């Protein structure tokens, strides 16, 4: 047994406990986001007289508010520290998730209506008023949710930079990022059932309360690895085990770890803009699939969220997305087997993943035969996105000192949020127009034509993003402060 093997044999694994905490936080994060999409079509829309455009407005504003919050939340996490920054973020988003339940009562009080039946039976101008007031009530609740949820990935990325060497970060990120798929996987199996049994309001409260449980565990389990009693010296040495050659190349970043890099200074680096470009051309696609897939299955194929076809269709989408864990390990293979540097390995892996979403071009044509075809294709595209995303996040910790990781992640998150706003706002308008005016596109008419257009746009975004990233940062180039 070599010396390295002996070290590995006695080394602790507390870093994976931290990775598990990030996984559970991300799972709760995505559960909270999915409650609206899974209750909109069958529970909320009939009560508040919403159209697809209304839903597009709410999801679009959520994305824009999330983007604006991302611009500042990373800086907040860097300043407050990982433990309390993450703690505050999940507390805010759990509160925001729960108060969605009171939007109906708020609408009734604002308009002076007596009970839920009055909302449902409203007609004419009263129905329009119910739609408008309820929309803004939900936007306010989504604003609080967005501010809190924007802290998840900057904080999680910072924890990963603290607890893992560079070669393992993409794999660790793919594991905690799999919480997105697990959250989306569980959501269609439980949220419609909760809404049916106790009302859509309780779905928001029950799911929102999970975050408060996580906060208790986080308070007792997290410490920086250097000060944690649960991290032994051998594990600490492994965490700091980046190769001497890379440490030398990254000397300026290492020296800057104890310093604060200003927000405007971060914007001066092309590495920041490369990460932002990667987020802009990919996040909107993922959130389009996440927010609109339940509506797509319902409006195009007629399977409402309380039917087995819808529940198991959505379950299948996110079950396939779980393949992204393998994608997170691919750069490690390139680094260890091919002798590539971490950044080169990540970019090679991201190029491979960028080709899979092109299958979305076939989703609507094949959907004419069975709705399972778009389900499978969107699942594959989603797995490719999450694999892409795990590697994209890791490029930040590759090239920036730890003191700036959350800030730069927040800047990229803002770019991704703007993309989400554009996708969701335009999707809602497109689908309403397609359904009302009988839009025709390549043999499809109405809403199917609208979805075909969006699938085509989604298919090419990743390759565009990769080309821009590669042009901005063609080779590994750590930030020099």
């Amino acid at each position: 047994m070599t010396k390295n093997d002996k070290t590995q044999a006695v080394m602790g694994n507390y870093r994976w406990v931290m990775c598990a905490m990030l996984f559970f936080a991300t799972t709760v994060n995505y559960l909270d986001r999915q409650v609206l999409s899974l209750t909109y079509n069958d529970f909320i829309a009939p009560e508040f007289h919403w159209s697809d455009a209304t839903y597009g407005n709410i999801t679009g504003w959520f994305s824009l508010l999330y983007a604006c919050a991302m611009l500042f939340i990373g800086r907040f996490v860097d300043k407050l520290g990982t433990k309390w920054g993450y703690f505050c973020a999940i507390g805010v988003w759990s509160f925001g998730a729960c108060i969605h339940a009171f939007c109906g009562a708020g609408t009734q009080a604002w308009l002076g209506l007596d009970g839920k039946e009055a909302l449902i039976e409203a007609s004419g101008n009263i129905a329009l008023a119910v739609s408008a007031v309820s929309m803004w009530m939900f936007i306010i609740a989504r604003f609080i949710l967005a501010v809190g949820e924007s802290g998840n990935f900057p904080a999680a990325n910072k924890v990963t930079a603290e607890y893992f060497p560079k070669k393992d970060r993409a794999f660790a990120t793919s594991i905690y990022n799999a919480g997105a798929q697990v959250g989306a996987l569980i959501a269609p199996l439980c949220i419609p059932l909760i809404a049916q049994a106790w009302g859509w309001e309780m779905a928001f409260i029950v799911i929102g309360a999970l975050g408060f449980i996580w906060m208790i565990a986080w308070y007792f389990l997290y410490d920086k690895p250097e000060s944690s009693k649960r991290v032994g010296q051998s594990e600490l040495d492994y965490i700091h085990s980046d190769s001497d050659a890379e440490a030398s190349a990254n000397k300026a970043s290492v020296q800057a770890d104890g310093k604060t890099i200003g927000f405007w200074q971060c914007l001066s680096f092309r590495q920041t803009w490369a990460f932002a470009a990667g987020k802009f051309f990919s996040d909107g696609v993922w959130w389009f699939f996440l927010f609109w897939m339940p509506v797509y299955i319902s409006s195009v194929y007629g399977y409402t969220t309380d039917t087995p076809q819808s529940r198991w269709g959505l379950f299948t989408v996110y079950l396939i997305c779980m393949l992204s864990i393998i994608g997170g390990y691919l750069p490690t293979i390139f680094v260890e087997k091919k002798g590539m540097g971490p950044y080169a390995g990540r970019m090679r892996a991201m190029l491979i993943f960028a080709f899979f979403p092109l299958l979305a071009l076939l989703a609507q044509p094949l959907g004419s035969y069975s709705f399972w075809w778009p389900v499978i294709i969107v699942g594959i595209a989603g797995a490719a996105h999450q694999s892409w995303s795990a590697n994209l996040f890791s490029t930040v910790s590759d090239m920036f000192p730890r003191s700036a990781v959350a800030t730069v992640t927040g800047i990229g998150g803002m770019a991704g949020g703007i993309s989400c706003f554009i996708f969701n706002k335009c999707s809602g308008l497109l689908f309403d127009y397609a359904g009302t005016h009988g839009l025709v596109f390549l043999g499809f008419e109405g809403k199917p034509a609208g979805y075909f257009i969006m699938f085509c746009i989604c298919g090419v975004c990743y390759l565009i993003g990769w080309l821009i990233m590669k042009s901005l940062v063609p080779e590994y180039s750590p930030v020099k402060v």
Side-chain angles (χ1 to χ4, degrees):
M1 182 180 289
T2 66
K3 181 179 179 180
N4 184 61
D5 292 335
K6 290 179 181 178
T7 301
Q8 293 292 332
V10 298
M11 183 174 63
N13 292 296
Y14 194 69
R15 64 195 183 282
W16 296 109
V17 174
M18 288 294 98
C19 189
M21 288 298 296
L22 304 183
F23 168 84
F24 288 121
T26 305
T27 300
V28 173
N29 187 290
Y30 273 71
L31 277 169
D32 286 332
R33 297 191 199 192
Q34 281 289 83
V35 178
L36 179 60
S37 65
L38 289 166
T39 53
Y40 152 66
N41 212 43
D42 302 318
F43 300 96
I44 295 177
E47 182 173 326
F48 296 120
H49 309 278
W50 285 359
S51 65
D52 280 351
T54 307
Y55 178 66
N57 278 331
I58 293 171
T59 55
W61 276 107
F62 169 80
S63 302
L64 187 60
L65 294 167
Y66 182 86
C68 294
M70 285 288 279
L71 191 60
F72 304 102
I73 195 70
R75 194 73 183 147
F76 172 80
V77 172
D78 276 333
K79 279 186 170 291
L80 193 61
T82 311
K83 181 170 187 171
W84 292 110
Y86 215 163
F87 187 88
C88 292
I90 198 166
V92 170
W93 97 52
S94 298
F95 172 73
C98 290
I99 66 169
H100 282 72
F102 303 97
C103 290
T107 302
Q108 294 170 35
W110 185 270
L111 295 176
L113 298 175
D114 185 18
K116 181 178 290 191
E117 291 75 15
L119 291 175
I120 299 171
E121 295 171 1
S123 60
N125 290 333
I126 299 298
L128 292 175
V130 168
S131 176
V133 172
S134 63
M135 180 184 76
W136 284 104
M137 289 286 180
F138 272 85
I139 287 174
I140 292 170
R142 299 304 273 183
F143 168 73
I144 298 172
L145 181 70
V147 170
E149 289 203 337
S150 67
N152 184 67
F153 288 102
N157 209 22
K158 193 174 180 70
V159 174
T160 304
E162 290 173 347
Y163 268 89
F164 291 88
K166 289 182 180 181
K167 67 177 183 178
D168 290 344
R169 286 176 192 170
F171 184 47
T173 302
S174 70
I175 291 176
Y176 84 69
N177 209 30
Q181 292 89 268
V182 172
L185 197 69
I186 298 171
L189 300 182
C190 65
I191 290 172
L193 297 179
I194 296 172
Q196 279 183 318
W198 301 317
W200 63 263
E201 296 90 345
M202 282 304 297
F204 282 101
I205 292 174
V206 170
I207 301 301
L210 297 175
F212 296 117
I213 298 172
W214 183 93
M215 291 169 65
I216 297 171
W218 179 252
Y219 177 81
F220 288 105
L221 292 176
Y222 174 82
D223 275 306
K224 286 188 175 182
E226 293 81 6
S227 56
S228 175
K229 296 178 181 178
R230 301 176 180 90
V231 177
Q233 187 59 47
S234 60
E235 185 172 12
L236 190 62
D237 290 341
Y238 181 76
I239 291 170
H240 297 149
S241 66
D242 290 320
S243 68
D244 292 338
E246 189 162 336
S248 177
N250 199 25
K251 184 176 181 181
S253 285
V254 173
Q255 289 175 338
D257 269 341
K259 302 176 182 178
T260 299
I261 300 177
F263 173 81
W264 295 109
Q265 189 177 7
C266 287
L267 289 176
S268 69
F269 301 122
R270 68 182 188 279
Q271 292 90 336
T272 302
W273 291 101
F275 175 67
K279 293 289 285 180
F280 181 84
F281 282 97
S282 60
D283 276 17
V285 177
W286 170 248
W287 287 109
F288 169 76
F289 289 145
L290 196 69
F291 284 145
W292 287 98
M293 197 62 189
V295 185
Y296 170 70
I297 291 174
S298 177
S299 60
V300 174
Y301 298 101
Y303 299 130
T304 56
T305 53
D306 59 344
T307 61
Q309 292 92 336
S310 178
R311 284 202 298 269
W312 288 108
L314 294 171
F315 181 87
T316 302
V317 168
Y318 301 114
L319 182 64
I320 296 172
C321 286
M322 291 296 294
L323 293 171
S324 63
I325 294 177
I326 300 173
Y329 190 68
L330 186 57
T332 303
I333 296 174
F334 288 148
V335 171
E336 294 183 349
K337 305 295 185 182
K338 304 294 185 181
M340 303 175 69
Y343 179 75
R346 296 195 213 296
M347 290 302 291
R348 174 74 62 84
M350 289 172 68
L351 178 60
I352 294 171
F353 301 138
F355 281 100
F356 283 96
L358 290 174
L359 290 171
L361 299 172
L362 303 175
Q364 191 57 41
L366 291 176
S368 301
Y369 300 97
S370 170
F371 99 106
W372 284 105
W373 280 112
V375 163
I376 293 169
I377 288 172
V378 170
I380 293 171
H385 167 84
Q386 293 296 63
S387 298
W388 162 285
S389 185
N391 286 280
L392 181 61
F393 276 125
S394 298
T395 63
V396 179
S397 54
D398 281 347
M399 293 185 287
F400 285 89
R402 292 171 191 160
S403 59
V405 166
T407 300
V408 176
T409 303
I411 293 170
M414 180 201 66
I418 292 172
S419 170
C420 295
F421 172 77
I422 294 171
F423 264 78
N424 284 292
K425 177 71 174 176
C426 293
S427 295
L429 294 173
L430 175 62
F431 299 150
D432 265 1
Y433 178 85
T436 304
H437 295 83
L439 176 69
V440 177
F441 181 73
L442 296 180
F444 291 92
E445 184 176 355
K447 287 190 177 181
Y451 279 99
F452 192 11
I453 292 171
M454 290 306 302
F455 286 147
C456 290
I457 294 171
C458 291
V460 300
C461 279
Y462 293 85
L463 283 173
I464 296 172
W466 188 90
L467 289 170
I468 294 174
M469 289 185 67
K470 188 66 174 176
S471 65
L472 287 170
V473 187
E475 297 180 350
Y476 176 61
S477 180
V479 164
K480 296 180 180 179
V481 182

